[in-house]
Amino acid sequence: MPTFILNLFLRIARAIYGKLFFRRILLSVVHCIIIFIILDIIFPFRPQIHYSQIIVAADGTVMHALLAKDDKWRMKIEADDISPAMRRAFTAKEDKWYYWHLGVNPVAIVRAAVNNIIQGKTTSGASTITMQTARLLEPKERSIRNKIIEIFRALQLEVHYDKEEILEMYLALVPYGGNIEGIKSAAFLYFGVMPAKLSPAQITTLTVIPNRPTSLALGKSNNSIIEARNRWLRIFAESNIFSESETRNAIAEPLDVIRRNLPEIARHLALRLARQYSDKSVIHSSIVPAVQRKIQNLCFNYSRVKALSGIFNAAVIVINNGTGKVEAYIGNSDFYDTAHQGQVDGVRAVRSPGSTLKPLMYAMALDRGIITPKSVITDVPVNFDGFAPENFNRKYNGLITAEKSLAFSLNVPAVKLMNELRPEIVIAKLAQAGFRRIAADKRNLGLSVALGGCGASLEELAALYAAFANGGIYRPPQYINDASTDSAQIISAQAAYMLSEILTQPTRPDLPYNAESSLRLPKIAWKTGTSYGRRDAWSIGFNKRYTIGVWLGNFIGTGTPDITGADAATPLLFAIFNSLEYAGSNEWFAPPKGLDFRYVCSETGHLPADFCHNLTMDYYIPGVSSNKHCEHRKKVFISPDSSVSYCGECLPENGYVKADYTNIPPELIAFCESERIACQKIPEHNPNCIRIFRDKPPAITSPVNEKTYIVERGEDSKIMLSCIANNDVKKVYWYINDRFLMSENSGKSVFFIPPLGDVKISCSDDKGRNSNIYIRVENH
């Protein structure tokens, strides 16, 4: 439209004054444009406005806000913040020709000059919204020279920005008294609403204040503000900005205004996002306010109870499995609890994860065909080069299925699986799943990772379990709406499903003692963890919709007897699931393609043989899971009095019988004998047999190969010798530096006084099989 008017004006001038005059005018305009371009290059105007950072929730409500660098509340205006009524009201009052001129209104300048000359003083101004914006961007004293600069800056704004952008800058900078600038800041701090939700009365109130921010101070000069507001409401009604009914209601609306505090929802996350996206004025987070407030209240109240037991800190994260977005984030139950480090962000804090990493190791073992849920594994004392893990209750189960060993969170089977998988492979998988501290420390980590001998954060663990809920696909938690993240398949969908089924088992030791009170608890899969010294209590759970991670402990690292994942963290986990999914549909995961089930022997978890009578149903992955047949029974040739056994080399022509024996693993035999548990052993092999056996030699478990042992100088310190031998071994023979020491029944430990220096230790069984280790002995 301005271009049309300019063209019309030029045509009229050409018709009246002729071509020569037109050419002179055109030449003057060209010269002015050239001069403007040169000045624009020499004196560029690219305003850098320092806005307050605001963090908004998923629904657009403000969660948190921070002062701008100059300690002012100045919030960036976005297109959605400006309602049509607000746009019309401000332009009608400040610059009704705003969308017609090019930043300067010549008619208004002439009119203002004439009025001021007639009155002998300044009675009216000629500043357009663009000129006011230029003045707000570069405040200067009022003078003719500065007015010319202001006009030049306004023209620059019109060249480099469109009208909506200029209006947004203006509305972000208009003063409202004190350190409040911009309509968005005023709307929040005085009315507690988003600018787009202001009523006609509130819009009009905020249009009249910028010209007199001192004399029309909200909360102090309310009567004067109401008078000015109502006068302008009538003017706006005449201009059809508001309807008659809107105007009547607005005039009747009381000015109920107070200086409000801005909300502080999810403050730990808000401060984190503000630091991470310091270049953004508005950060759109994924937090759902209703979920956040509900979890915050639960966590705060629960922490007050736990404080009586010496547990002062708690953190919670809630991830929506469908979107990967974090809907609730509790860095600590009380941000302002300075006595207990309330400002520390427990979601990001690196702590010992306890047993919470075990499910990943079982999933990896499922994917490699090492186990299936019904596979039977040994739970007996073991020693891995000096690392001898113990179960939490320091008891052992002998034989146990893989699913029960995970549900019961047994330490020994988990370490054995990690050893079979190889520690470096497991650590690499954890690094792939976003565990930053583990990735950084990978050269210094080993089998103890299975029991929490590493560093992990709550957000990392929650993201791992969210991968279990998403068919094994890992993606980092998303904290902002427009985030784009990569995903990775860390375990198969089949392993993820079997894992979820195992972790839903209700009969397990980590069930809270008062869990029966959660009658409407939705179906969930969960795992607990307790760090060494009872410093950290973890409980991570998931269902179809949510993954929730809970941590309790003390940021200063002190432990307490009441800190266990089951009794400290899981009750809060259950309470959160109850609040979010109360009486929900209990929709659960469907078995994925590529997963099947079959009957296996309940004694071993292997495919049944002819002698297997106790069968059970088991999931497996065709082409991956082992097809080994059960061997838990063994046919042995023995003498009629069961004193000796025979092999094919020494079997007599007669005088023997064929007996059926349980095929017990060697480590289980040693455990049974140490615990004085009766077990069926194969008689010792025929001592007159000349066959040389080479398979399954004794495995020396103490001392540890290639280790250095320190003994006290002048004392007869002893070292224990122990080994694990096969089922049919009766005696073992010990040698020190190739010299016979003694013989002992299989499964029995012996002690000896070691010589100083390098020592060779050998162990032979009664079938001639031998194994050697080497240690070094020093004194001090």
Side-chain angles (χ1 to χ4, degrees), residues 51 149-150 164 174 220 291 325 421 643 678:
Y51 290 110
I149 295 175
E150 182 181 304
E164 293 305 315
V174 287
K220 296 180 180 179
V291 176
K325 293 179 179 178
L421 290 165
S643 60

Side-chain angles (χ1 to χ4, degrees), residues 699-703 719-724 734 747-750 763:
I700 300 174
T701 56
S702 176
I719 293 179
M720 183 179 74
L721 300 174
S722 64
C723 71
I724 294 176
W734 293 99
K748 298 288 185 180
S749 299
V750 298
C763 181

Side-chain angles (χ1 to χ4, degrees), residues 401-600:
T401 62
E403 62 179 1
K404 281 190 176 180
S405 67
L406 176 57
F408 290 5
S409 193
L410 299 179
N411 291 339
V412 172
V415 175
K416 290 175 66 176
L417 280 179
M418 185 173 181
N419 182 65
E420 191 166 355
L421 290 165
R422 291 171 47 198
E424 63 272 19
I425 300 298
V426 175
I427 291 168
K429 183 67 71 174
L430 287 166
Q432 184 188 11
F435 287 82
R436 293 180 292 274
R437 178 61 65 85
I438 291 176
D441 296 343
K442 61 183 179 181
R443 296 182 182 275
N444 301 318
L445 298 176
L447 291 173
S448 63
V449 167
L451 310 183
C454 56
S457 66
L458 182 61
E459 66 178 344
E460 292 169 344
L461 290 168
L464 175 65
Y465 281 66
F468 299 156
N470 282 288
I473 299 174
Y474 167 81
R475 53 186 173 185
Q478 298 181 41
Y479 297 107
I480 61 175
N481 279 337
D482 56 352
S484 59
T485 57
D486 296 328
S487 60
Q489 188 86 41
I490 58 172
I491 61 172
S492 70
Q494 296 82 11
Y497 178 80
M498 287 187 278
L499 206 61
S500 67
E501 291 297 293
I502 293 171
L503 294 178
T504 57
Q505 295 184 13
T507 307
R508 47 202 274 191
D510 61 351
L511 192 70
Y513 70 93
N514 61 346
E516 61 275 4
S517 63
S518 302
L519 297 178
R520 305 299 292 269
L521 181 70
K523 183 178 181 180
I524 62 172
W526 86 97
K527 181 72 183 71
T528 62
T530 306
S531 67
Y532 179 77
R534 298 190 180 227
R535 295 180 175 89
D536 307 276
W538 306 85
S539 193
I540 322 290
F542 61 90
N543 64 2
K544 184 77 171 177
R545 185 178 179 190
Y546 289 115
T547 294
I548 301 174
V550 174
W551 170 87
L552 271 83
N554 295 309
F555 287 137
I556 60 174
T558 57
T560 176
D562 288 335
I563 289 186
T564 63
D567 293 329
T570 303
L572 179 56
L573 177 76
F574 284 7
I576 294 171
F577 266 112
N578 253 335
S579 68
L580 296 180
E581 299 279 77
Y582 182 77
S585 64
N586 265 347
E587 181 184 4
W588 197 244
F589 308 98
K593 293 181 179 179
L595 182 68
D596 207 343
F597 53 87
R598 63 188 180 186
Y599 281 106
V600 296

Side-chain angles (χ1 to χ4, degrees), residues 55-119:
I55 297 91
V56 299
D59 62 356
T61 59
V62 173
M63 290 169 41
H64 198 75
L66 300 172
L67 286 166
K69 292 180 179 179
D70 54 359
D71 292 330
K72 290 187 177 182
W73 290 114
R74 185 189 304 112
M75 300 180 184
K76 185 176 182 180
I77 300 293
E78 298 182 296
D80 294 342
D81 293 325
I82 306 176
S83 65
M86 181 189 299
R87 181 181 291 104
R88 292 194 301 267
F90 268 94
T91 54
K93 182 179 181 301
E94 296 296 331
D95 186 0
K96 62 182 179 181
W97 299 103
Y98 175 67
Y99 288 102
W100 295 78
H101 60 65
L102 297 176
V104 179
N105 189 341
V107 176
I109 292 176
V110 172
R111 186 196 68 237
V114 171
N115 289 339
N116 294 340
I117 291 171
I118 294 173
Q119 298 294 329

Side-chain angles (χ1 to χ4, degrees), residues 265-417:
I265 302 172
R267 188 161 188 185
H268 290 91
L269 176 62
L271 296 175
R272 172 181 177 177
L273 294 178
R275 288 190 296 268
Q276 185 175 351
Y277 302 99
S278 57
D279 58 331
K280 287 190 175 184
S281 300
V282 182
I283 302 170
H284 296 270
S285 80
S286 59
I287 295 299
V288 177
V291 176
Q292 176 72 24
R293 291 191 181 95
K294 186 181 294 185
I295 306 308
Q296 181 73 59
N297 291 335
L298 277 172
C299 189
F300 180 79
N301 294 331
Y302 187 79
S303 290
R304 293 183 67 180
V305 175
K306 285 300 174 182
L308 301 175
S309 302
I311 306 173
F312 297 103
N313 303 115
V316 177
I317 187 172
V318 178
I319 301 175
N320 186 307
N321 293 330
T323 63
K325 293 179 179 178
V326 175
E327 294 191 359
Y329 186 110
I330 314 297
N332 192 33
S333 53
D334 186 357
F335 183 88
Y336 294 103
D337 184 7
T338 55
H340 301 101
Q341 300 76 43
Q343 296 183 14
V344 174
D345 188 349
V347 173
R348 301 183 71 190
V350 176
R351 314 282 295 186
S352 167
S355 297
T356 54
L357 298 178
K358 289 176 182 175
L360 178 63
M361 296 165 201
Y362 279 80
M364 293 176 67
L366 289 167
D367 272 336
R368 284 159 175 75
I370 297 173
I371 58 170
T372 60
K374 299 295 184 182
S375 294
V376 176
I377 53 182
T378 56
D379 175 31
V380 298
V382 291
N383 190 306
F384 297 97
D385 291 337
F387 176 50
E390 294 181 330
N391 291 326
F392 187 76
N393 59 4
R394 298 189 176 181
K395 296 180 180 180
Y396 302 92
N397 297 275
L399 294 174
I400 190 168
T401 62
E403 62 179 1
K404 281 190 176 180
S405 67
L406 176 57
F408 290 5
S409 193
L410 299 179
N411 291 339
V412 172
V415 175
K416 290 175 66 176
L417 280 179

